[in-house]
Amino acid sequence: MLDAAYRQFFDDLKSFIPESRMATDPLRTLAYGTDASFYRLIPKIVVRADTEAEVSRILKQTGEQQIPVTFRAAGTSLSGQAISDSVLLVAGESWQQWEVLDDGRKIRLQPGIIGARANGILAPFGRKIGPDPASINAAMVGGIAANNASGMCCGTAQNSYQTVDSIRIVLADGTILDTGDGHSRKAFKTTHGPMLARLDELARRVKADTPLAERIRNKFKIKNTTGYSLNALVDYIDPFDIITHLMIGSEGTLAFISHIVYRTVTSPAFKATALMMFPQIEGACRTAQRMQALPVAAAELMDRASLASVEGKAGMPAMIRGVSPSTTALLVETQAADFDTLSAHVQAIADALEKRLTLHTTDGGRTHEWQLEGADLAFPAIFTDHAGQSDNLWKVRKGLLPSVGAVRDLGTTVLIEDVAFPIHSLAPATLDLQALFDKHGYREAIIFGHALAGNLHFVFSPNFGRSAELDRYARFMDDIAQMVVDDYDGSLKAEHGTGRNMAPFVEKEWGSDAYGLMREIKAIFDPKGLLNPGVILNANPTVHLEHLKPLPPADPLIDACMECGFCECHCPSRNLSLTPRQRIVIQREIARLTASGEDASRLAELKKGYAWQGEATCAADGLCGVACPVEVDTGKFTKTFRSRMVKGQPYQWLADRAADHFGPLTTGIRVGLKIADGLHRIIGTDTMNRLADSLRRLSGNRLPVWLPSLPTAAAPLRSRTTGNGDRAVVYFPACVSRTMGPAAGDPLVDPLHVVTERVLRRAGYRVVYPEGMEGLCCGLPFESKGFFDQADRKSDALEKALLAASDNGRLPVLCDTSPCLERMQRTFGPRLALYEPVAFTATHLLDRLTITRTGDPVALHITCSARKMGLENAFLTVANACADTVVVPYGIECCGFAGDRGFNVPELNTAALSGLKSAVAGCTAGYANSRTCEIGLSHHSGIPYRSIMALVDQCTNGKRVRGVEGSRSQG
């Protein structure tokens, strides 16, 4: 329950924020109480602000009512910056606007744009944003700027501080300032002249204090995100420039960033990568130091413990196995705009390191290998410009954090810290860090980092559920602070931000004078101390040891979760209910309350809320597992959760009946579709909508929704071998394509199985069908509802039928629906060569068909199952072969229809496809490879979506249209 002050604040918010964008209930506030750090604070109110005007009004109210507020974008920060026990203001999906400026040399971005998305926008210009954090595929620009996140290649030269051009912010009093707009600056001088004068005086005072100014300059020669960006006071004169740069790394404690303009950097097209192995860490560090003056973009250091953590994984290079305890690796990459420059860079590196260089060509001269040999290398190092080999080398580096997270003990936290040292101190500092781990018993710890910047990360797994562990961690952190600051004058936070974790040590690192400047800066921008209190500046010397989040075991399928949040941007329910990370947070709390026996009413409330927020609205698509560093598939957990819900009668009896009488069941569905289509034709769309909505309401939402894009009944399938081509393929039409034809308004008349057979025969294939097809099913409809036994029974029967039809695997097997094929791949043995439409078309059909491309823009939906099978490129290959313009809407990965969930929980489909219609404006049709997905896609886009086989059919031999033959898009 909210107290009086927060209740009044909540009531005031309701005057301009819909309640659907606010949360005060125990389940959702708990879900938002965690970020990627190892802290947890449960907010009293979570509010999603969608516009700058809303943020301004919220901040005016928090200021007037003395209520603290914290800003949050993706929540991937590691030091506790994005959590609050007061008001949490979430600015994510609604903040997606961008504008490319000056031919790509600048870009204006709102804070909700993911870093990788910004780079995708800039790719056609050969540019990218400077910061390149490891979390760039999930972290949003607001957090990247607010934390001054850097990464593997950007160092200190291309981070947000160095590449910000201007910034637009909302101050604590609600005032909006755009430092790149002359009118805004002029107005701000009028309303906030004293504030500008204080900043000007502060900067003059710092510049006049030569020792302090020099101290600040030296501190930022290496990576440093401890405290505020004091270098703004010595680097700039204009107060607006000072404000712009103080915002970088301010972690939401000074203002809200509503957009930022970056000066972009070049994105070289040519890269060469090598893994260099050194017998001793000193050799690796000396080499990294020499590389600072060379054309090296990245030099990632990995100690022996790091290499050992991944050496047993598939695809790892043999050279990292079984090496000596002192062996250290450098993953080195050089980049260039053309091959000749790239080759010159490799030669320059070899010359500077006094190594012999031998060039070999591979793949018929298309790729190259430069072999380096010489002293200090444990093995010859090979630079390669082969993209696949380079990716495999980077997998060594990128697999380090997941390797520790996946094998940690239950209940332990994955803690990743980062420090930086002057490059000349890197070797002794690394040895001292290893000694501290040994002293405090953290023998599982690994050390890796960005050696060019003297930046080390270390990962270990303390169990904060034990008081002794907390004491040990406290002693360790005290020793770390002493070693980094007193021994090496380094940075306690290099790129992860101060947060709560390093707040008690800011003054120790900077000294009292510089710390006093930071307090003055905070007072200038946030005199009431309401913006993200406790972060960066905190008088509590033990704040880093408080509010640690529990990680109790909940289920083996999800226990490895590190709560990093990398999954969230891929989840179709992220704007409707819970994300995968949040589902796990709730399940962990349910498990803790169940085990402890405490607070039964809270436990009951969480369970009740989870039924809709967690289970009903989960598409169970598994994309979260693809993005997860430790491969936690929350979709798989949801299916298991459902299986527990349906144990026993009558559910199992009904599932058995459906599995045993699958042919009559599909016939019944066909009949139902005919009835619905007939009624629709008689009474019209509007009346049909009203009737269906009324019946659904009367049933308590137990009846499915009716959609105008509902398919007609498919014509019965001729289950016999057809054609006399020189090749043969076994074709298994999925149950949805056997029962569902085109939508009533779709001008294409043929069901998918007719279209697919026609394309196959046109390409010279003899089409073979399995026996007893009407009763065959891959088992996916049963699996998705938690009926695992029935699913496996159907899958086993289908595999036997396909083995018989394919001559024990001699013939390839095509299934026309990707979700079904994905399950077949998971559950079948190795004898069958299984394909879905895009893979089979790209591999076997394109070179046997004459294609005339359509000039009409077409939309493409790459289904979640296709993404899990790695078929994105195959999808694009087929679509681009058939159409001049192919639109793939960004951010729509799973449509949320999830089989029949689009009928039963339509809110999920609506939320997942909220931006689809505008994204495909101008397209004449859309294409996918899942009939049920196409129902929702058609409904929410306003254009018909069909199987991609229909596009191939149209572009190879025209198309059959009701009453019309051909069109301007026909082949």
Side-chain angles (χ1 to χ4, degrees):
M1 293 293 293
L2 298 176
D3 62 25
Y6 282 96
R7 170 53 59 186
Q8 180 62 53
F9 177 71
F10 182 77
D11 290 341
D12 291 342
L13 284 182
K14 288 192 294 184
S15 67
F16 63 97
I17 302 285
E19 283 196 67
S20 61
R21 288 200 269 123
M22 294 190 286
T24 60
D25 59 281
L27 184 141
R28 286 183 292 170
T29 52
L30 172 63
Y32 279 99
T34 187
D35 61 5
S37 73
F38 50 96
Y39 300 101
R40 183 169 81 182
L41 289 173
I42 301 176
K44 294 179 176 63
I45 301 173
V46 179
V47 54
R48 196 188 82 202
D50 282 355
T51 67
E52 186 180 70
E54 288 179 352
V55 173
S56 177
R57 289 188 65 176
I58 291 169
L59 292 186
K60 286 178 183 177
Q61 286 191 200
T62 56
E64 292 169 0
Q65 299 177 34
Q66 298 286 302
I67 291 177
V69 60
T70 294
F71 311 125
R72 178 176 182 148
T76 57
S77 53
L78 293 164
S79 301
Q81 299 98 314
I83 55 176
S84 170
D85 57 3
S86 179
V87 173
L88 186 67
L89 191 156
V90 180
E93 292 283 324
S94 300
W95 299 77
Q96 294 282 323
Q97 294 181 19
W98 53 268
E99 182 183 6
V100 175
L101 307 169
D102 198 12
D103 290 326
R105 285 184 283 274
K106 293 181 183 179
I107 187 169
R108 177 182 288 110
L109 299 166
Q110 283 196 319
I113 291 181
I114 291 171
R117 168 62 170 155
N119 286 342
I121 295 166
L122 290 165
F125 301 91
R127 313 285 292 184
K128 63 179 181 177
I129 61 172
D132 61 340
S135 59
I136 196 166
N137 289 327
M140 294 177 179
V141 164
I144 291 173
N147 291 293
N148 198 18
S150 47
M152 300 177 186
C153 297
C154 84
T156 57
Q158 295 182 345
N159 62 17
S160 290
Y161 181 90
Q162 295 295 346
T163 58
V164 62
D165 185 74
S166 65
I167 204 161
R168 187 175 175 95
I169 57 176
V170 185
L171 293 166
D173 62 1
T175 300
I176 297 169
L177 168 64
D178 187 339
T179 64
D181 180 80
H183 296 293
S184 180
R185 290 162 64 120
K186 183 177 180 181
F188 195 79
K189 287 179 181 178
T190 302
T191 60
H192 289 70
M195 178 181 178
L196 295 173
R198 289 179 66 187
L199 282 173
D200 180 67
E201 186 275 330
L202 193 63
R204 291 177 185 274
R205 177 161 33 104
V206 171
K207 291 183 181 77
D209 188 335
T210 302
L212 179 58
E214 192 60 27
R215 169 74 174 156
I216 292 170
R217 291 189 183 97
N218 285 332
K219 287 290 291 177
F220 287 103
K221 288 180 179 178
I222 61 174
K223 285 187 178 182
N224 192 337
T225 59
T226 308
Y228 290 121
S229 298
L230 294 181
N231 43 345
L233 300 175
V234 297
D235 291 344
Y236 297 95
I237 298 173
D238 188 324
F240 290 106
D241 289 335
I242 293 172
I243 290 173
T244 297
H245 291 83
L246 281 175
M247 290 301 117
I248 304 300
S250 60
E251 301 177 29
T253 64
L254 302 181
F256 173 87
I257 298 174
S258 63
H259 83 218
I260 183 171
V261 176
Y262 276 116
R263 294 186 298 275
T264 63
V265 301
T266 57
S267 181
F270 290 79
K271 300 176 182 179
T273 312
L275 186 65
M276 299 183 180
M277 304 285 286
F278 297 85
Q280 304 290 333
I281 198 168
E282 293 88 346
C285 293
R286 281 197 305 270
T287 299
Q289 185 175 354
R290 295 171 71 180
M291 285 180 174
Q292 284 195 314
L294 299 175
V296 173
E300 295 295 295
L301 182 142
M302 294 168 277
D303 72 351
R304 176 65 187 108
S306 298
L307 300 175
S309 72
V310 296
E311 66 181 10
K313 294 183 177 295
M316 295 295 106
M319 70 174 70
I320 71 173
R321 301 191 188 111
V323 295
S324 70
S326 61
T327 298
T328 304
L330 277 182
L331 180 60
V332 180
E333 185 164 285
T334 183
Q335 304 174 352
D338 54 72
F339 174 76
D340 289 342
T341 306
L342 183 74
S343 189
H345 284 178
V346 176
Q347 184 67 60
I349 294 169
D351 291 344
L353 300 183
E354 300 174 349
K355 301 290 187 289
R356 294 189 304 277
L357 183 69
T358 306
L359 173 63
H360 303 280
T361 60
T362 59
D363 293 340
R366 290 187 298 272
T367 60
H368 309 81
E369 292 181 353
W370 297 264
Q371 182 167 307
L372 276 70
E373 297 179 83
D376 292 339
L377 288 176
F379 308 98
I382 296 176
F383 273 100
T384 176
D385 63 357
H386 188 285
Q389 294 174 12
S390 176
D391 289 344
N392 285 336
L393 292 176
W394 276 106
K395 284 178 182 177
V396 179
R397 165 64 178 82
K398 294 177 181 179
L400 299 181
L401 178 59
S403 68
V404 175
V407 302
R408 74 186 192 276
D409 293 336
L410 284 178
T412 61
T413 295
V414 178
L415 196 153
I416 178 169
E417 282 294 358
D418 76 309
V419 294
F421 306 95
I423 188 67
H424 63 268
S425 301
L426 186 59
T430 305
L431 293 171
D432 285 352
L433 187 54
Q434 289 175 330
L436 282 182
F437 284 133
D438 188 61
K439 172 184 174 181
H440 291 280
Y442 292 122
R443 293 180 177 84
E444 82 286 1
I446 64 172
I447 300 173
F448 58 94
H450 317 311
L452 284 179
N455 177 195
L456 296 180
H457 300 312
F458 50 91
V459 181
F460 57 107
S461 303
N463 187 341
F464 290 134
R466 305 169 186 163
S467 59
E469 182 64 57
L470 195 59
D471 293 339
R472 176 167 68 143
Y473 175 69
R475 293 192 299 272
F476 173 75
M477 288 300 293
D478 288 341
D479 282 354
I480 284 287
Q482 178 177 332
M483 187 266 285
V484 173
V485 175
D486 297 340
D487 297 348
Y488 294 104
D489 195 21
S491 306
L492 286 167
K493 278 292 186 180
E495 57 180 3
H496 292 170
T498 307
R500 286 173 165 75
N501 193 31
M502 211 56 73
F505 303 99
V506 175
E507 186 170 10
K508 176 178 178 60
E509 176 174 331
W510 276 98
S512 58
D513 289 347
Y515 190 71
L517 289 177
M518 295 182 191
R519 294 175 66 87
E520 287 187 69
I521 290 168
K522 174 69 171 175
I524 290 172
F525 284 90
D526 181 23
K528 297 178 181 178
L530 299 176
L531 302 185
N532 211 358
V535 168
I536 297 184
L537 305 180
N538 197 313
N540 181 356
T542 62
V543 66
H544 62 305
L545 308 175
E546 300 172 5
H547 304 294
L548 304 176
K549 67 182 175 188
L551 293 174
D555 187 284
L557 291 173
I558 57 175
D559 285 337
C561 173
M562 301 182 293
E563 299 185 8
C564 65
F566 286 11
C567 56
E568 292 191 329
C569 60
H570 303 278
C571 180
S573 66
R574 63 188 181 272
N575 293 320
L576 173 67
S577 55
L578 299 181
T579 66
R581 167 167 62 175
Q582 293 172 334
R583 287 182 171 92
I584 293 172
V585 169
I586 301 303
Q587 283 300 316
R588 282 173 166 164
E589 182 65 3
I590 287 174
R592 187 189 71 81
L593 292 173
T594 300
S596 67
E598 63 181 78
D599 206 343
S601 62
R602 175 176 167 80
L603 175 61
E605 191 169 6
L606 291 179
K607 286 183 174 180
K608 180 181 178 182
Y610 190 85
W612 193 85
Q613 292 277 349
E615 185 275 318
T617 54
C618 179
D621 57 31
L623 286 180
C624 47
V626 176
C628 177
V630 292
E631 299 178 351
V632 171
D633 184 346
T634 316
K636 186 176 182 180
F637 167 77
T638 294
K639 293 175 183 177
T640 303
F641 184 88
R642 290 170 183 164
S643 74
R644 297 168 188 153
M645 295 169 59
V646 298
K647 280 191 179 297
Q649 301 291 349
Y651 302 109
Q652 294 298 326
W653 180 84
L654 290 171
D656 283 334
R657 295 286 292 176
D660 294 340
H661 301 84
F662 200 75
L665 176 64
T666 56
T667 299
I669 294 173
R670 219 179 271 120
V671 170
L673 291 173
K674 283 184 179 179
I675 294 171
D677 181 44
L679 184 60
H680 178 206
R681 292 174 186 274
I682 293 170
I683 66 176
T685 299
D686 291 341
T687 304
M688 189 74 172
N689 261 325
R690 289 194 296 271
L691 175 63
D693 288 348
S694 298
L695 291 174
R696 179 169 166 79
R697 284 195 301 271
L698 288 172
S699 71
N701 288 340
R702 292 180 179 86
L703 288 177
V705 298
W706 175 85
L707 300 174
S709 57
L710 188 72
T712 58
L717 180 69
R718 298 171 300 167
S719 181
R720 60 181 178 82
T721 300
T722 64
N724 55 1
D726 61 329
R727 297 184 183 184
V729 60
V730 175
Y731 173 34
F732 171 61
C735 57
V736 290
S737 53
R738 299 198 303 266
T739 56
M740 297 180 178
D746 193 333
L748 297 187
V749 298
D750 290 329
L752 176 57
H753 59 79
V754 173
V755 170
T756 301
E757 181 181 313
R758 186 162 60 229
V759 171
L760 292 171
R761 294 180 63 181
R762 191 178 296 149
Y765 273 86
R766 182 167 52 91
V767 182
V768 180
Y769 290 99
E771 293 293 331
M773 194 160 52
E774 278 301 302
L776 295 178
C777 172
C778 69
L780 185 62
F782 297 92
E783 179 190 81
S784 64
K785 294 175 176 58
F787 296 110
F788 294 158
D789 291 342
Q790 293 84 354
D792 290 342
R793 277 167 40 203
K794 298 306 293 181
S795 178
D796 291 345
L798 176 60
E799 183 178 16
K800 291 176 183 176
L802 293 177
L803 282 169
S806 67
D807 191 15
N808 205 33
R810 183 179 63 85
L811 300 180
V813 175
L814 168 64
C815 175
D816 56 22
T817 303
S818 70
C820 301
L821 193 281
E822 192 272 335
R823 186 172 201 277
M824 291 159 65
Q825 284 189 346
R826 283 190 284 114
T827 58
F828 286 6
R831 286 182 289 177
L832 289 168
L834 300 169
Y835 294 89
E836 53 74 73
V838 292
F840 193 80
T841 302
T843 306
H844 296 293
L845 300 184
L846 287 183
D847 61 350
R848 296 171 67 89
L849 294 168
T850 300
I851 295 177
T852 302
R853 291 157 60 129
T854 175
D856 292 341
V858 302
L860 193 65
H861 178 72
I862 304 173
T863 56
C864 48
S865 49
R867 291 177 185 275
K868 288 165 66 177
M869 292 185 286
L871 296 176
E872 294 97 325
N873 288 336
F875 245 109
L876 292 169
T877 296
V878 174
N880 286 320
C882 296
D884 292 331
T885 303
V886 177
V887 176
V888 183
Y890 178 81
I892 298 177
E893 298 180 11
C894 173
C895 69
F897 208 89
D900 63 353
R901 201 149 293 261
F903 295 121
N904 299 314
V905 189
E907 300 92 339
L908 177 60
N909 187 228
T910 300
L913 300 181
S914 60
L916 179 62
K917 190 167 188 175
S918 60
V920 300
C923 294
T924 56
Y927 297 92
N929 58 2
S930 171
R931 188 65 189 92
T932 52
C933 296
E934 292 152 19
I935 298 170
L937 290 162
S938 299
H939 178 63
H940 289 287
S941 67
I943 60 175
Y945 269 79
R946 313 162 182 131
S947 169
I948 198 165
M949 292 302 285
L951 178 62
V952 177
D953 181 41
Q954 295 164 48
C955 293
T956 53
N957 199 37
K959 61 182 179 181
R960 289 183 58 206
V961 182
R962 289 186 178 91
V964 180
E965 280 295 318
S967 79
R968 71 187 182 96
S969 63
Q970 78 177 56

